[in-house]
Amino acid sequence: MQAFEYASPTTVKEAVDMLSSKWGEVDILAGGTDLISLMKEYLHTPRRVVNLKGIKELGGIQKTGGGLRIGATVTLDELAENSTARSEYQSLVRAALGVSSPQIRNMGTVGGDLCQRPRCWYFRQGFGILGQDKSGASLVVNGENRYHAIFPQPPAYFVSASSLGPALIALGAKVKIAGPSGSRELPVERLFVAPRDSSSREIALASNEILTEVIVPSARGVRNTTYEVRQKEALDWPLVSASVALRMKGSTVTNARVVLGHVGPTPVTAAEAEKALAGKALTQETATEAGKAAVAGARPLTGNTYKVQLARIAVQRALLEAVKLRG
Amino acid sequence: MSKHQDELDPKTRKAGFSRRGFIRGVGATGGALGGAIWTEEEAQGAQGAVKTAGPGAVPVTLNINGKEHKLNIEPRMTLLDACRNQLDLTGAKRVCDRATCGACTMIMNGKVVYSCTVLAIDAQGKQIQTIEGISAGRPHAVSVAFVNNDGQQCGYCTPGFVMAAKGFLDRNPNPTYEQVKSGLGGNLCRCGTYVGVRKAVLEAAKAVKGGKNA
């Protein structure tokens, strides 16, 4: 790890002032579960690290106007233990509990889950966010891609590592972002972006901005859950996840949100599956059809066709699980 | 990374030495250091009320096993390395050093954490418990249960597993087998002694309830 200077401001304004207008110079430390490993690998070599955990206003979970406000430094463990989250946002609790291990959930934060860097092994070995060789050819396309995107957005073939992202998108959540000129809000689906070049980032934050909180609308009456398919039970990222949020009238779906995780450089909204469900009763058959619709547009790479089936089944199972749960 | 290892590391040697030399030379601490590595314009943000520490060694106070330890370490030093290399608390092991094996598990403010992935400077003000702290005087009920149930072979993962098990039982005093399995999911044993470990945790749950090391 390269030496850095460390700061632990107590207000968001102070923290923003300590950031840099250029990527790479300053890193934000929340739980550190990703950043510290990135620094040990010299993938991040900041000159300054700004700790956010001393900023009180970035913590805590509050009910607001029917919805939920989750501070960026709330740990995944706190989220999973929160009584409102447990009764109303099964989708978020499942996604949080799916994260790796108790040790990671105790340190890792909500903001950190959204802002963590991709797990692509080419990126982690120093070949850049796009995993390219010196000529610009994709190492992913021509190499080992079993865990990569089945919904790639060339030249980006990695998968978004966020567990909460798909659930938050399905629930219609927004993030609040603080920067030098004040704060702004962004729907979670617009937080994630597929980089077009190797100097771009995979989230829509500027280098001098901080994700400060997540605002989740009320999910009362919205049947929601997350279903993950994993290779290992712990210490791993899901191969595929599906988050669903369903508004129902009796057994009929009036509005469906279906979002896939770990299948593309951003969470992937399965618009075809949502359309296939609208106005229909949710049954084994319609859930199966929605699963098929969700992956109809998949473009797997040489080594990850198996993920198409996993995604199809994840959507089907998430839907069936959601209707068995109380909304 | 220990100071010794860093100085052997060609990637950091140059930067580390030159900065340390500069710091020693001007005898500066805290925010005044900004100018050393930032241009004037860049440093403006840091010149407010917020003090910065490092990149050289700074005073850090850690509360470990109920005792305060005053250290002089760089902000980049992890809690694990501070314990092992500065305080001679070598029970927690440095294995993967990437938050994926659990051998370095400690309990911080009542919750299990990977000490390899916590900066020591960031652990100030927290109550830190290490394997040495729970086994002072006599073996903890969890350690005893590991012995009784062959919860280890080579033993390298054991201190981390015992801490993970203690942290788990503190929060889940009446666990089912399935809860034990997922609750200890953050620790790896390359000998594959999971069956013994899980039996040990279930036995320890009963022992703790019986008043031993509650």
Side-chain angles (χ1 to χ4, degrees):
Chain A
M1 199 186 311
Q2 187 173 286
F4 51 79
E5 63 171 36
Y6 171 92
S8 195
T10 52
T11 68
V12 171
K13 171 83 173 67
E14 285 172 350
V16 167
D17 283 348
M18 302 202 83
L19 302 181
S20 168
S21 56
K22 269 183 253 152
W23 284 112
E25 295 187 333
V26 180
D27 265 316
I28 291 170
L29 173 69
T33 52
D34 192 21
L35 176 65
I36 292 175
S37 289
L38 289 164
M39 293 196 296
K40 285 178 181 173
E41 301 290 353
Y42 293 91
L43 293 167
H44 279 219
T45 52
R47 293 190 291 174
R48 178 186 290 158
V49 168
V50 178
N51 173 39
L52 297 187
K53 293 190 294 300
I55 305 173
K56 282 211 177 70
E57 59 196 285
L58 295 187
I61 302 177
Q62 291 95 20
K63 279 190 186 183
T64 49
L68 203 64
R69 178 258 175 209
I70 309 169
T73 61
V74 165
T75 64
L76 297 171
D77 180 65
E78 288 175 86
L79 175 62
E81 293 289 319
N82 180 270
S83 58
T84 308
R86 289 173 81 100
S87 65
E88 202 173 320
Y89 302 96
Q90 186 68 24
S91 181
L92 288 178
V93 171
R94 286 272 170 102
L97 288 175
V99 172
S100 206
S101 72
Q103 288 94 326
I104 295 283
R105 293 195 296 274
N106 286 342
M107 285 302 290
T109 63
V110 169
D113 174 82
L114 296 171
C115 297
Q116 65 182 308
R117 306 303 315 269
R119 303 305 306 177
C120 165
W121 44 39
Y122 294 105
F123 168 70
R124 295 274 162 175
Q125 293 298 315
F127 292 97
I129 185 72
L130 300 177
Q132 294 175 333
D133 66 15
K134 278 177 190 148
S135 72
S138 170
L139 293 162
V140 182
V141 171
N142 304 309
E144 290 287 346
N145 51 38
R146 76 193 77 162
Y147 302 128
H148 285 81
I150 54 172
F151 289 91
Q153 295 185 54
Y157 296 93
F158 64 86
V159 297
S160 165
S162 174
S163 286
L164 299 180
L168 289 170
I169 293 170
L171 291 165
K174 292 182 290 192
V175 288
K176 210 164 163 184
I177 297 163
S181 51
S183 74
R184 63 186 175 113
E185 287 183 358
L186 200 63
V188 176
E189 58 255 57
R190 284 175 47 209
L191 175 68
F192 299 97
V193 287
R196 299 236 166 93
D197 57 63
S198 55
S199 61
S200 302
R201 285 289 176 116
E202 64 281 7
I203 46 168
L205 291 184
S207 61
N208 52 6
E209 288 184 317
I210 296 172
L211 194 159
T212 56
E213 62 187 60
V214 180
I215 303 153
V216 198
S218 168
R220 203 160 296 165
V222 179
R223 291 165 186 268
N224 65 89
T225 198
T226 295
Y227 188 94
E228 292 184 345
V229 183
R230 323 176 64 86
Q231 190 163 22
K232 292 192 277 181
E233 286 180 39
L235 284 171
D236 205 358
W237 278 256
L239 294 166
V240 159
S241 72
S243 292
V244 299
L246 306 169
R247 286 174 199 280
M248 318 266 301
K249 203 169 185 181
S251 60
T252 305
V253 177
T254 53
N255 181 278
R257 293 302 320 268
V258 180
V259 185
L260 295 167
H262 310 274
V263 296
T266 67
V268 173
T269 297
E272 293 304 315
E274 293 174 351
K275 256 187 256 164
L277 287 164
K280 298 222 179 91
L282 189 49
T283 62
Q284 182 79 39
E285 287 71 35
T286 51
T288 304
E289 285 309 310
K292 282 186 196 161
V295 297
R299 282 162 291 128
L301 303 168
T302 52
N304 65 4
T305 307
Y306 74 99
K307 283 181 70 165
V308 177
Q309 180 181 352
L310 299 187
R312 176 168 64 77
I313 298 299
V315 168
Q316 181 191 326
R317 290 190 184 169
L319 289 168
L320 292 174
E321 210 169 86
V323 290
K324 268 188 268 168
L325 296 167
R326 280 164 50 85
Chain B
M1 202 178 269
S2 75
K3 190 178 168 191
H4 177 66
Q5 279 161 317
D6 265 348
E7 286 174 357
L8 293 177
D9 185 342
K11 282 176 177 162
T12 53
R13 192 163 48 195
K14 205 176 158 209
F17 271 168
S18 63
R19 280 183 202 169
R20 276 189 211 121
F22 178 85
I23 296 152
R24 285 193 204 106
V26 298
T29 57
L33 202 58
I37 55 168
W38 298 85
T39 65
E40 211 165 304
E41 196 183 335
E42 287 168 332
Q44 264 176 3
Q47 284 170 352
V50 184
K51 280 197 172 170
T52 59
V58 293
V60 167
T61 305
L62 296 175
N63 188 318
I64 301 173
N65 303 323
K67 207 178 140 197
E68 289 224 326
H69 296 270
K70 290 192 191 306
L71 299 171
N72 203 41
I73 54 175
E74 294 179 2
R76 65 173 154 169
M77 185 176 283
T78 64
L79 174 60
L80 175 68
D81 286 347
C83 285
R84 288 184 59 82
N85 302 344
Q86 306 280 320
L87 299 170
D88 210 24
L89 294 168
T90 55
K93 299 290 181 271
R94 192 198 212 207
V95 179
C96 76
D97 204 29
R98 297 290 184 280
T100 47
C101 81
C104 67
T105 301
M106 293 182 188
I107 297 177
M108 194 162 85
N109 281 359
K111 291 189 174 178
V112 291
V113 298
Y114 295 130
S115 63
C116 74
T117 302
V118 175
L119 294 177
I121 195 169
D122 196 17
Q124 295 187 104
K126 310 256 168 70
Q127 300 288 329
I128 298 150
Q129 228 180 1
T130 71
I131 186 78
E132 291 87 351
I134 69 157
S135 49
R138 56 174 182 157
H140 188 273
V142 174
S143 307
V144 173
F146 268 66
V147 174
N148 292 345
N149 292 279
D150 282 339
Q152 66 284 312
Q153 285 185 48
C154 83
Y156 215 74
C157 68
T158 309
F161 251 121
V162 169
M163 292 309 286
K166 185 189 181 295
F168 169 73
L169 288 174
D170 288 346
R171 291 180 72 178
N172 307 273
N174 300 298
T176 63
Y177 183 80
E178 279 307 310
Q179 286 169 332
V180 170
K181 228 173 122 181
S182 62
L184 294 187
N187 291 64
L188 295 179
C189 167
R190 283 207 62 185
C191 305
T193 329
Y194 297 106
V195 174
V197 169
R198 288 169 195 154
K199 270 164 64 184
V201 176
L202 288 171
E203 183 188 298
K206 285 187 200 146
V208 169
K209 264 188 299 186
K212 294 174 190 163
N213 299 104

